Amino acid sequence: MTAAEFVPVIGLEVHCRLKTASKLFSACPLRPGAAANSATDAYTWALPGTLPTVNAAAVTLAVRLAAALGCEVAEESGWDRKHYFYPDLPKGYQVSQHARPLARGGALEVPDPEAGPWATRTIALQRLHLEEDAAKVHAGALLDYNRAGAPLVEIVTAPVIRSAAEAARVLRALRLLLLRLGVSDATMEDGSLRCDVNVSLQRRGGSAPGVRCEIKNLNSFNFIERAVTAEVGRQEALLAAGVPVTPVTLRYDPARAAVQVMRVKETELEYRWLPEPDLPPLRVEPAAAAAARASLPELPERTRMRYCVLGLTPLEASTLVDEPVLGDWFDAALDSLGPRGPALAPRLCKWLTVELIGRVPPAQLASAKVVPAALAELVRMLDCGEVSAPAAKQILDLLVEEGGVPGGIAAREGLVLEDDDAALTAAIVSVLRGYPRQVAQYRAGKAALWGYLIGRVMQVLRGRADPQRVHKLLVVALHSPPPGDDTI
């Protein structure tokens, strides 16, 4: 057997911590980053006599996410106990939704650069359910129970992902959706977004599934891509050597860029799933699911397509979509331009993503003195020829430093371009009269003097003129001097 005989079949199980004030089954505050074991309560520690109460805010956020993904939200879902004995589970089991999840189906639109710069691919989803998080195990087996009981939503894709790169793109797209909806901080560094990846190899052209192995707890896009690549290579090597692949659970070792077998993969029976006796079924009224769908904002892929129509490049659109703060700022500036917005969108994008971000990092935009309407007005002035590009950069520097209105700054600093043709022509004529020798040499064929004459005119005007406009008027003055005026 050779590697070319097989194709990867990949599915993701994404765990996302919901953005609530308290844990899933108790009023214990949820404080990511707090001192170890400082955000716990009796239920977190599974003390006898404590009972769970469902956090309604977590359910609302999960339903909102399900609506955005086009899932079918169940009117009634159930809770189950997943048993396994490990120090991160005080109760000896995890409360999840196994038999009757909150939502099924749905799909996620993901960029597909292999098919074209604006192409997307639909990744089918299998289910979405709620569950509580486990404690965090630190190096040296130290345990922090602040995270225990935090509300998680798990999104399970169908096994339709076809490459390591696409697996990373799927998680990126999902993270952007979570941020846009405001349901999670989706910070991979602190574990609020992490992913398990299921990988198998299927014979090319065949329909029989391969043996599925699972890589646990990946918390970066790069690690996902590298881990899947390593696991595909491991399975290919086994099959090429005639060794059957066995179902195992793995971890990714970044230092070695390799996967390591942790244990033989558990079966569903080993978890001894049981209905949760202390919680009634979870009911979501159809009206609540409909309200969640009606309240959705514009989703990331729809935003990307809107930017495409506005004439932005794929890279520019991705820059705005991938950084929600930038996208919101751009849209606010665009709205302030009114009917002229669509025509000026590409120039506005460049001034935001190149000029402004070169002066103000995205994280500081919310508190910056320059506001979206001011940048939009500056771009309009530049487009209308009221200020030159160098002057616009000076104005932007002052907007960042002190705020204010571009027009007022331009007038105060003497940066408004002269737009009266008569005044411009008078300045040109005065220069031509002052440099008769250079004018004669230019007319005699010394074309290099053109730049010299333009420079003298711009000097007289102190740079407050559109160079293209000066160019046209200088051509007229050189080739059509005023009648009876032999001085130029």
Side-chain angles (χ1 to χ4, degrees):
M1 297 183 184
T2 64
E5 296 180 44
F6 298 94
V7 293
V9 177
I10 303 164
L12 303 185
E13 298 174 12
V14 182
H15 301 82
C16 163
R17 185 171 66 219
L18 295 172
K19 197 174 182 178
T20 58
S22 57
K23 297 184 179 182
L24 183 55
F25 297 122
S26 78
C28 179
L30 186 62
R31 295 200 297 263
N37 297 309
S38 64
T40 62
D41 63 355
Y43 182 80
T44 302
W45 294 105
L47 297 183
T50 56
L51 293 172
T53 303
V54 176
N55 184 340
V59 176
T60 298
L61 293 179
V63 170
R64 179 173 170 82
L65 176 58
L69 290 168
C71 303
E72 181 181 353
V73 178
E75 289 188 41
E76 184 175 291
S77 56
W79 301 100
D80 304 280
R81 292 182 177 183
K82 178 183 180 181
H83 294 81
Y84 65 91
F85 295 98
Y86 196 69
D88 65 0
L89 277 183
K91 298 189 292 288
Y93 60 84
Q94 177 190 37
V95 179
S96 183
Q97 293 186 302
H98 177 59
R100 294 184 296 162
L102 177 67
R104 294 185 186 273
L108 178 67
E109 288 294 312
V110 177
D112 188 8
E114 296 169 3
W118 294 104
T120 62
R121 185 165 179 261
T122 300
I123 302 298
L125 306 178
Q126 292 182 336
R127 56 186 283 147
L128 179 151
H129 65 263
L130 282 160
E131 63 185 24
E132 61 180 344
D133 205 349
K136 185 174 183 179
V137 182
H138 294 277
L142 298 176
L143 290 166
D144 179 4
Y145 284 88
N146 286 348
R147 199 175 75 178
L152 296 181
V153 64
E154 180 174 344
I155 305 103
V156 182
T157 77
V160 295
I161 299 170
R162 55 196 178 187
S163 70
E166 185 170 69
R169 288 199 297 270
V170 171
L171 190 60
R172 281 192 177 94
L174 184 56
R175 180 178 181 273
L176 288 176
L177 180 63
L178 295 167
L179 293 173
R180 172 57 64 188
L181 296 174
V183 301
S184 173
D185 291 329
T187 306
M188 303 189 76
E189 292 79 7
D190 71 357
S192 65
L193 181 66
R194 53 194 192 270
C195 183
D196 301 337
V197 185
N198 296 301
V199 180
S200 64
L201 295 184
Q202 186 178 72
R203 190 176 295 276
R204 192 176 298 276
S207 58
V211 175
R212 179 169 63 93
C213 297
E214 184 178 23
I215 314 168
K216 299 289 286 186
N217 291 326
L218 296 167
N219 65 352
S220 88
F221 303 123
N222 286 336
F223 286 178
I224 286 173
E225 192 163 349
R226 294 173 187 173
V228 172
T229 300
E231 175 56 11
V232 168
R234 186 187 74 88
Q235 292 190 26
E236 287 177 343
L238 289 173
L239 294 172
V243 179
V245 176
T246 57
V248 293
T249 299
L250 309 113
R251 64 178 289 271
Y252 176 65
D253 181 358
R256 296 174 53 244
V259 290
Q260 296 176 333
V261 175
M262 297 167 61
R263 58 184 177 269
V264 175
K265 191 164 179 57
E266 298 93 340
T267 66
E268 292 298 311
L269 288 176
E270 290 177 284
Y271 287 127
R272 293 181 294 119
W273 286 98
L274 294 173
E276 169 56 66
D278 293 332
L279 286 169
L282 176 63
R283 290 194 57 82
V284 177
E285 297 298 330
R293 286 190 291 271
S295 68
L296 293 175
E298 182 180 63
L299 302 183
E301 279 310 308
R302 181 66 62 86
T303 304
R304 194 186 305 273
M305 291 301 104
R306 174 165 61 84
Y307 292 159
C308 165
V309 173
L310 288 171
L312 273 60
T313 67
L315 179 59
E316 289 171 337
S318 293
T319 299
L320 297 180
V321 172
D322 293 351
E323 186 68 65
V325 172
L326 278 183
D328 291 343
W329 220 91
F330 174 78
D331 285 338
L334 195 67
D335 287 344
S336 71
L337 286 170
R340 297 197 63 186
L344 294 180
R347 174 172 268 184
L348 175 64
C349 180
K350 286 182 173 59
W351 273 80
L352 170 60
T353 60
V354 177
E355 297 297 340
L356 182 57
I357 297 309
R359 295 164 169 82
V360 183
Q364 298 177 19
L365 276 178
S367 58
K369 292 181 179 179
V370 57
V371 297
L375 182 66
E377 176 62 13
L378 181 61
V379 169
R380 185 204 63 76
M381 292 172 65
L382 183 60
D383 184 70
C384 292
E386 295 176 22
V387 294
S388 66
K393 293 180 181 181
Q394 294 180 50
I395 295 169
L396 183 58
D397 287 335
L398 292 169
L399 286 171
V400 169
E401 181 181 336
E402 62 190 44
V405 180
I409 293 175
R412 184 190 76 197
E413 301 295 325
L415 298 174
V416 178
L417 294 182
E418 177 63 67
D419 63 353
D420 180 58
D421 282 356
L424 294 175
T425 299
I428 290 170
V429 169
S430 69
V431 168
L432 298 184
R433 285 173 174 162
Y435 297 92
R437 182 170 60 84
Q438 287 84 353
V439 170
Q441 289 176 339
Y442 172 77
R443 286 175 171 160
K446 195 173 182 179
L449 284 169
W450 174 262
Y452 177 84
L453 295 173
I454 281 281
R456 298 291 77 72
V457 173
M458 294 301 293
Q459 186 178 39
V460 168
L461 293 167
R462 292 185 295 172
R464 293 184 297 173
D466 179 2
Q468 293 184 350
R469 199 168 189 175
V470 171
H471 174 99
K472 293 178 182 178
L473 293 174
L474 180 57
V475 169
V476 172
L478 281 170
H479 296 89
S480 304
D485 189 345
D486 57 0
T487 61
I488 60 174

